[in-house]
Amino acid sequence: MESEYDQKDIVVIDNGTDTIKVGISGEDYPRLIYDNKCGSHSVQNDNDNPNNKPQLLFGQDLKKVVKEKKLNVQLSNPIKDGKIDNVESMKEFWQYILEDGLQISELQQVNLLIIDQVKNSKEYKSKLAEVFFDYLKVQSVLFMNSASLSLFSTGLVSGLSIELGHAVNTIVPIYQGFPIMHALEFSHISGAEITQCLENDLRCYETLIDKFSEEEKQWIIKDIKENMCYIASDYEMQMQSEDNFTEEERSYELPDEQVIQITPQIRYHCSEALFNSAIINKNSSSLPQMIVNSIQRCDKELRQELLANMVLGGGTSMFQGLISRLQDDICQIYPGGAMRSEFNFVADFQRKYSAWIGGSMLGSLKTFQSLAINKQEYEENPEGKMSLIHKRTF
Ligand SMILES: Nc1ncnc2c1ncn2[C@@H]1O[C@H](COP(=O)(O)OP(=O)(O)OP(=O)(O)O)[C@@H](O)[C@H]1O
């Protein structure tokens, strides 16, 4: 297939713990969404592979092999807790994304915008820069933090970025595009923990669900979470309440057409972990408390602006009932009291991909060229590589 990549395009990659979102700047949505999964299998007696180095599989190729069960594949997640855990796998994954996914044949022409967690260190980013410039040999790279881009996706450059993802929730005030790091709050009570809690809650149906493969099972549990679980406005009351949902609303059909019932106790329980981590036996501040803590750590003059511009982003922010529950709880716990009219949540319907969309918008601005590090300056500056990364990652 002919490459549709134009040298002026910027490839935007959001490296998430659940999925890796990939596309071209200026577009509305990511073109490709990959599970953060790598499959490895041993290749014996291959003349092209004298050291029997395991072959790595990603994306559709991996899905096909897993489905056909033809090979014995070891699955792993190259990204853990929002950070690349296995650079060797990840560099092949990026190559696969660019060459097979986006069909780009000349990687030397590629300009990249790499999105990652705000708390990842510059030393870590400089390791990634080595992969992009020395291994993939791309033309230029810009590292941008996901929190600023998530806010930027709504057209704002100042406000409170509340990103609720799969492994990490990050709350950080952004002022004129820059995160205020001393006010950063984060927790790991996010999408993955909620899915795990739901899996435990569905044990009553284990004979029906355990028939499926591990992959299918995880897909079913996530599907129930994303489509049938809500955040309660009054948890204690709703957990005791009668089931007022219709037969259709409470029924979930499994792939083999068996039906299970999603009771209010299942529906409201797992997502409550965001508000009370004790229900999953963890000890972490509640989401509203983290929001208040973060705002309170900023100057008094800025707090009003933050309260008025609280931007929700990431997949876990899609739970129904989240905004009204946050409003109620923040009213109650805000020091000195806060009126509902004083604060405002910005929750775009596309917020599941907020960081990627912010990256797509930034990549289409002329400023990208002045912010990005290009291969030539990276190579001409062997002693100063680290300081280059320090100055030019955001
Ligand atoms: N409609 C929905 N309701 C509730 N949760 C959802 C919904 N849609 C997606 N999610 C959850 O959001 C999570 C994925 O969010 P996101 O893509 O922002 O995370 P990520 O970027 O891959 O991970 P991280 O930011 O933690 O590194 C998953 O746990 C997924 O199940």
Side-chain angles (χ1 to χ4, degrees):
M1 196 208 284
E2 256 310 282
S3 165
E4 286 177 26
Y5 183 75
D6 183 309
Q7 270 200 61
K8 293 192 287 303
D9 289 338
I10 314 297
V11 175
V12 181
I13 306 183
D14 179 4
N15 296 296
T17 315
D18 188 36
T19 55
I20 300 164
K21 298 98 180 155
V22 180
I24 303 292
S25 62
E27 296 185 355
D28 294 342
Y29 283 105
R31 278 191 197 179
L32 303 161
I33 296 179
Y34 294 96
D35 289 339
N36 165 29
K37 281 205 172 74
C38 161
S40 149
H41 78 97
S42 308
V43 188
Q44 305 291 336
N45 309 324
D46 180 351
N47 292 341
D48 294 337
N49 183 13
N51 300 327
N52 292 340
K53 194 176 159 220
Q55 191 192 352
L56 301 183
L57 295 162
F58 312 97
Q60 285 307 327
D61 297 350
L62 176 61
K63 277 196 179 138
K64 192 162 170 264
V65 166
V66 169
K67 198 170 167 206
E68 290 172 356
K69 297 187 182 134
K70 278 195 192 142
L71 295 172
N72 186 11
V73 179
Q74 302 281 338
L75 291 174
S76 63
N77 306 113
I79 304 174
K80 293 210 172 109
D81 292 342
K83 203 168 170 183
I84 314 298
D85 183 58
N86 186 335
V87 179
E88 286 308 305
S89 303
M90 203 57 219
K91 67 186 193 186
E92 289 195 36
F93 203 161
W94 281 319
Q95 183 167 9
Y96 172 85
I97 286 172
L98 297 170
E99 292 181 343
D100 291 62
L102 293 175
Q103 300 279 320
I104 303 173
S105 45
E106 307 279 335
L107 296 194
Q108 310 90 286
Q109 296 181 353
V110 169
N111 301 298
L112 279 178
L113 197 165
I114 297 295
I115 304 173
D116 77 347
Q117 295 284 330
V118 69
K119 65 183 174 58
N120 287 346
S121 70
K122 304 225 162 153
E123 288 70 22
Y124 161 83
K125 284 173 206 190
S126 83
K127 273 204 195 117
L128 300 191
E130 281 174 28
V131 173
F132 294 124
F133 289 121
D134 300 340
Y135 178 76
L136 296 172
K137 304 194 184 312
V138 302
Q139 180 163 267
S140 70
V141 181
L142 173 60
F143 292 100
M144 263 316 278
N145 77 79
S146 146
S148 299
L149 289 177
S150 209
L151 194 96
F152 187 56
S153 71
T154 65
L156 290 168
V157 289
S158 299
L160 188 72
S161 172
I162 304 168
E163 281 202 294
L164 312 179
H166 186 65
V168 207
N169 292 340
T170 309
I171 296 152
V172 66
I174 310 287
Y175 185 68
Q176 298 294 323
F178 291 95
I180 302 177
M181 291 303 285
H182 71 262
L184 169 75
E185 289 271 318
F186 75 92
S187 91
H188 293 295
I189 316 282
S190 198
E193 289 282 0
I194 297 173
T195 308
Q196 179 62 56
C197 177
L198 179 60
E199 185 171 352
N200 295 338
D201 293 345
L202 290 170
R203 287 264 149 82
C204 51
Y205 293 117
E206 68 187 346
T207 46
L208 295 180
I209 297 178
D210 281 359
K211 282 189 282 199
F212 299 100
S213 70
E214 195 49 37
E215 289 289 295
E216 286 168 323
K217 214 168 103 179
Q218 286 308 315
W219 184 88
I220 292 167
I221 295 164
K222 247 171 127 183
D223 193 45
I224 297 175
K225 178 185 81 166
E226 295 175 10
N227 295 297
M228 300 186 80
C229 293
Y230 297 170
I231 287 174
S233 52
D234 182 335
Y235 179 68
E236 298 300 336
M237 200 259 290
Q238 276 158 296
M239 286 296 275
Q240 306 296 329
S241 70
E242 280 184 25
D243 190 347
N244 293 324
F245 290 92
T246 63
E247 181 68 27
E248 197 187 341
E249 285 168 336
R250 95 168 71 86
S251 304
Y252 182 84
E253 192 178 307
L254 296 167
D256 61 0
E257 296 181 5
Q258 296 258 27
V259 174
I260 61 174
Q261 302 297 316
I262 307 300
T263 61
Q265 287 69 32
I266 296 177
R267 202 181 286 271
Y268 296 117
H269 182 245
C270 59
S271 57
E272 187 65 15
L274 292 171
F275 295 85
N276 177 7
S277 60
I279 72 159
I280 52 164
N281 301 320
K282 294 273 158 78
N283 182 11
S284 166
S285 299
S286 72
L287 180 57
Q289 190 62 58
M290 285 163 59
I291 292 175
V292 171
N293 291 350
S294 178
I295 295 176
Q296 289 291 307
R297 262 192 244 120
C298 295
D299 289 347
K300 273 197 177 126
E301 299 72 59
L302 190 58
R303 290 182 198 162
Q304 214 53 42
E305 186 173 357
L306 296 177
L307 275 172
N309 295 295
M310 296 190 277
V311 176
L312 289 166
T316 298
S317 76
M318 297 297 288
F319 269 117
Q320 290 193 45
L322 176 68
I323 298 177
S324 65
R325 175 70 181 277
L326 282 177
Q327 281 171 330
D328 288 345
D329 286 13
I330 291 175
C331 271
Q332 280 182 20
I333 63 172
Y334 201 80
M339 308 273 283
R340 258 179 185 252
S341 57
E342 284 178 77
F343 54 86
N344 177 45
F345 284 98
V346 182
D348 200 283
F349 71 98
Q350 310 176 93
R351 63 188 180 278
K352 196 167 170 170
Y353 304 121
S354 52
W356 189 91
I357 293 170
S360 169
M361 288 162 63
L362 178 74
S364 58
L365 300 179
K366 283 209 180 88
T367 38
F368 175 88
Q369 297 303 343
S370 57
L371 298 174
I373 301 166
N374 69 54
K375 188 168 173 30
Q376 197 181 352
E377 62 183 325
Y378 182 80
E379 283 174 348
E380 281 173 1
N381 213 344
E383 267 88 64
K385 277 181 184 166
M386 196 63 196
S387 74
L388 195 61
I389 305 284
H390 268 260
K391 273 193 240 141
R392 303 261 286 282
T393 63
F394 303 91

